[in-house]
Each structure stands twice: as structure tokens, then as C-alpha cells.
């Protein structure tokens, strides 16, 4: 019988040694997505602005970010900006993730806003409501609900993309796996543990986002 050249029995004993690294992964993902949400909302509104210069700036930002790899953007933030100011690895990873995800989130928000019937804005304007207030009170609440499913997908993508932070020495899961593998020469076993951790976290996030989506559907019916 063929036996795998890996000792899978070490996985249970080594699994929880990755707990602290998993916390770092969640930390940079959370703050990166939070920053990305703020950047994305601003960029989406700017993209839809009637001011041509503002719309052009936001389009350029989205074009540049979506057209270049996250790893390149991460290196630019960490290595490029250090000539101006010293930035630690974790803040660098958060900034890069926020900057990167902001472009994709901007497109999610833009699509959600444009999916709202334009008649609602026209009705609000006909009642004397300023465009900014109509956007804030009528359009954005509906757009946010429609944006939840794609935002959930983007959150999961951001969680997996956070593994690139290992290239700038952020002590997250992937770096922990490489370190444990090099010290024990059990690379496959260690990376299997990393994969299990990611699978658990993405499954939990998928469940939470699904519950939020279902809750919003219920509130719409009510």
C-alpha cells in the first residue's frame, strides 16, 4: 500500500500553535477592509459625481489599482514610502489592503447605487430635498443592502489576500507556516494547517454574511 510521505498526525498537536498568527491575519483583514470601505464609498460617490475632475480622479484610482497586483502595491507602500516615513509591517499591510480593496468596493457601491431606480432621486428632488440628503437618506440605505452579498465575497478575498503580508514580515498565518516548516522540515504538514485555518475562517465569514443577508431580506419584507 502506498503511504503518503507526510506525517499528518502532527496536525492536531501543532494546530493551535497557529492561533496567534490567525489573530494577526484577522486583524489586518478587519482593518484593511474597514479602510477599504471608507475609501470605496468615497471613490464610488466621486465616480458618480457631476464634477468631471473628481470623477476622473476616482476612475484613475480604480483603473490603477485593479490593473496592478496587490503584491506590487504592498511593496510600494512598505518599501517605497519608507524613504519618506517609517511604516511598520502591520500598518503597511493594512494600508495596502485598504487601498487595494477600496477600488473593488468602490465598484460594488457604484453598481449598487446605480441599481436604485432613478425615479426615487427625482421624486426626492421634486420635494425640495437636496441631492446630498436624498443620497444619504434614500439611496444609500437601499444600496448598502444590495451591496452586502458582493461585499461578503470581497471580504473573503481580502482575508485570503492577507497572506501576501508575509512577504513584509507580518507574523500572520503564511509566515508562521513557512517558519514552522523550515524549522521542522515538515512544509506540507504546516501548510495544510495554514489551509485549515483559512478554511475555518472563510467558512465562518460566509456563514455570518449569509445570516446578515437573510436578516436584511426579512427586514425588507417586514
Amino acid at each position: 500500500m502506498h503511504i503518503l510521505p507526510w506525517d499528518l498526525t502532527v496536525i492536531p498537536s501543532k494546530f493551535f500553535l497557529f492561533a496567534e498568527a490567525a489573530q494577526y491575519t484577522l486583524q489586518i483583514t478587519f482593518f484593511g477592509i474597514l479602510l477599504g470601505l471608507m475609501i470605496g464609498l468615497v471613490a464610488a460617490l466621486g465616480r458618480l459625481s457631476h464634477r468631471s475632475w473628481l470623477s476622473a480622479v476616482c476612475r484613475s484610482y480604480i483603473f490603477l489599482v485593479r490593473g496592478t497586483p496587490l503584491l506590487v502595491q504592498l511593496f510600494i507602500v512598505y518599501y517605497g514610502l519608507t524613504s519618506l516615513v517609517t511604516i511598520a509591517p502591520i500598518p503597511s499591510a493594512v494600508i495596502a489592503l485598504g487601498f487595494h480593496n477600496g477600488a473593488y468596493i468602490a465598484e460594488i457601491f457604484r453598481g449598487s447605487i446605480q441599481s436604485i431606480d432613478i425615479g426615487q432621486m427625482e421624486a426626492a428632488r421634486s420635494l425640495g430635498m437636496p441631492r446630498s440628503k436624498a443620497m444619504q437618506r434614500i439611496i444609500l440605505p437601499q444600496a448598502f443592502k444590495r451591496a452586502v452579498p458582493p461585499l461578503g465575497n470581497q471580504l473573503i478575498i481580502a482575508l485570503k489576500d492577507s497572506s501576501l503580508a508575509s512577504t513584509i514580515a507580518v507574523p500572520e498565518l503564511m509566515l508562521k507556516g513557512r517558519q514552522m516548516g523550515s524549522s521542522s522540515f515538515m512544509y506540507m504538514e504546516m501548510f495544510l494547517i495554514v489551509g485549515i485555518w483559512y478554511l475555518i475562517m472563510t467558512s465562518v465569514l460566509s456563514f455570518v454574511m449569509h445570516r446578515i443577508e437573510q436578516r436584511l431580506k426579512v427586514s425588507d419584507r417586514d
Side-chain angles (χ1 to χ4, degrees):
M1 179 182 293
H2 175 69
I3 300 177
L4 290 174
W6 318 317
D7 183 7
L8 300 184
T9 60
V10 304
I11 292 179
S13 61
K14 303 291 187 181
F15 184 79
F16 289 102
L17 296 178
F18 288 73
E20 185 177 0
Q23 291 178 3
Y24 278 108
T25 293
L26 290 174
Q27 178 183 340
I28 60 177
T29 301
F30 173 79
F31 288 108
I33 277 291
L34 187 62
L35 179 59
L37 285 169
M38 293 186 287
I39 294 174
L41 180 58
V42 172
L45 293 176
R47 177 77 173 76
L48 296 171
S49 174
H50 294 306
R51 296 181 176 87
S52 58
W53 67 269
L54 180 57
S55 180
V57 169
C58 293
R59 281 200 309 269
S60 299
Y61 157 67
I62 294 170
F63 171 77
L64 289 173
V65 171
R66 296 179 71 186
T68 56
L70 172 57
L71 185 59
V72 172
Q73 298 161 17
L74 183 63
F75 284 168
I76 289 174
V77 171
Y78 184 64
Y79 295 110
L81 296 183
T82 50
S83 60
L84 302 175
V85 60
T86 301
I87 306 177
I90 291 179
S92 295
V94 170
I95 293 171
L97 280 172
F99 187 77
H100 180 81
N101 284 281
Y104 291 90
I105 292 173
E107 289 296 273
I108 292 172
F109 281 149
R110 182 177 69 86
S112 300
I113 292 171
Q114 290 182 322
S115 71
I116 306 299
D117 187 357
I118 194 173
Q120 296 192 40
M121 175 62 78
E122 294 174 348
R125 296 299 302 276
S126 67
L127 295 174
M129 186 177 293
R131 179 182 176 83
S132 59
K133 186 169 290 187
M135 180 67 73
Q136 178 183 352
R137 294 186 177 181
I138 298 174
I139 305 300
L140 286 181
Q142 299 179 73
F144 279 132
K145 288 185 178 182
R146 297 188 181 188
V148 166
L151 284 177
N153 291 333
Q154 191 61 39
L155 175 57
I156 291 173
I157 292 171
L159 175 63
K160 293 184 290 185
D161 283 348
S162 68
S163 61
L164 294 175
S166 63
T167 59
I168 59 171
V170 174
E172 46 73 66
L173 280 170
M174 187 58 68
L175 182 61
K176 182 70 172 180
R178 284 162 47 192
Q179 291 173 339
M180 294 283 288
S182 63
S183 63
S184 63
F185 298 101
M186 304 175 75
Y187 285 99
M188 182 57 68
E189 292 87 342
M190 297 303 108
F191 285 129
L192 282 174
I193 293 175
V194 171
I196 293 170
W197 271 104
Y198 275 112
L199 185 61
I200 292 172
M201 292 189 292
T202 54
S203 298
V204 171
L205 285 176
S206 296
F207 175 77
V208 171
M209 296 306 298
H210 177 72
R211 293 291 295 176
I212 293 174
E213 185 180 349
Q214 293 300 313
R215 190 67 177 267
L216 291 176
K217 288 182 179 179
V218 170
S219 65
D220 282 342
R221 290 196 296 269
D222 293 342

